Amino acid sequence: MSGHEAPPSAEILGDETAPSRISVAVRCRPLSQTERSSNVSDITRVMDTRLVILLDPGVAASNDYLRQDKSKEKRFAFDQAFGADVGNQALFQSTTKPLIGSVLQGYNATVFAYGSTGAGKTFTMIGTPQDPGIMSRTVEGLFTSAAGSRGDDHHQSITINCSFVEVYNENLRDLGSRDGKDGILDLREDPVTGTSVAGVTEIQAQSVQEVMDLLQLGNQRRTTEPTAMNVTSSRSHAVLQVRVERREPGNPSAGTLIGKLSMIDLAGSERASQTN
């Protein structure tokens, strides 16, 4: 799911042509090795890139008289729907890439992955060195767009700053600290940058590889517990915040344009009793 502060033109009530501020996308995961070994059937089908159909499993309780001879097929509509065969690159192109231009213009945007343990949230958001997730691909897109903006205006300076934080038991922990210390961080209100995390390690990224290294290092430090669904289940929320600052060094009166993009890998959404 992703949302962003749209340009003012989208605030006109009743304008059906204005872009929506919130978009909900669903990604259907493939069967796990355990499910395939148990001969579990995949009953999920994606139609027309927006409709998800759950086929009738054909199994009913013997005493379920109300639903006998009735189809249990269910249909769900989303802004976008992706099958198990869709890769991270295609997912990024359709869901997150459209936000990059708004962030460079000074708007705030948020992208987060929500779902149960083992659904593929971390793979979607962080990915692997061989198949980067949404976070790395979005930062790469920001670098590419920033380079284009600098080429159009040689007097413009654009910096990209990144921080990686864990939220666990209502505490904030710095996943990007160079010394690996697990100190608890505090939220503060800044009159210039807004709400910020005091003392968090922030890197001024010069390349996508720097950000990928930050994500891989931070992901190893996350709080995990083995569950019935996932041996290394993430029990915390991981937040990568990217702050883009644009300024004209030769024109101090122009001020600084700041856009923020928060990308969040949420903890499993199911009840703890279901994954003990």
Side-chain angles (χ1 to χ4, degrees), residues 226-229 235 271-276:
T227 69
M229 294 293 293
R235 310 311 297 168
R271 294 178 180 176
S273 61
Q274 293 181 304
T275 53
N276 287 339

Side-chain angles (χ1 to χ4, degrees), residues 107-153:
Y107 293 98
N108 297 334
T110 300
V111 179
F112 59 87
Y114 172 87
S116 62
T117 296
K121 299 183 300 298
T122 299
F123 175 74
T124 297
M125 297 302 291
I126 298 178
T128 65
Q130 297 74 28
D131 187 10
I134 294 294
M135 292 179 175
S136 297
R137 295 179 189 275
T138 303
V139 172
E140 182 179 13
L142 281 169
F143 271 109
T144 301
S145 297
S149 297
R150 292 190 190 101
D152 297 335
D153 186 353

Side-chain angles (χ1 to χ4, degrees), residues 182-230:
D182 296 339
I184 303 302
L185 303 174
D186 293 321
L187 279 177
R188 301 282 174 81
E189 287 291 338
D190 187 282
V192 177
T193 60
T195 304
S196 61
V197 182
V200 68
T201 302
E202 192 172 66
I203 65 168
Q204 185 171 317
Q206 303 296 329
S207 67
V208 179
Q209 188 60 47
E210 278 189 84
V211 180
M212 290 186 65
D213 292 343
L214 172 67
L215 293 176
Q216 295 301 326
L217 174 64
N219 197 44
Q220 293 173 8
R221 295 176 175 174
R222 289 181 68 180
T223 302
T224 61
E225 293 178 8
T227 69
M229 294 293 293
N230 193 342

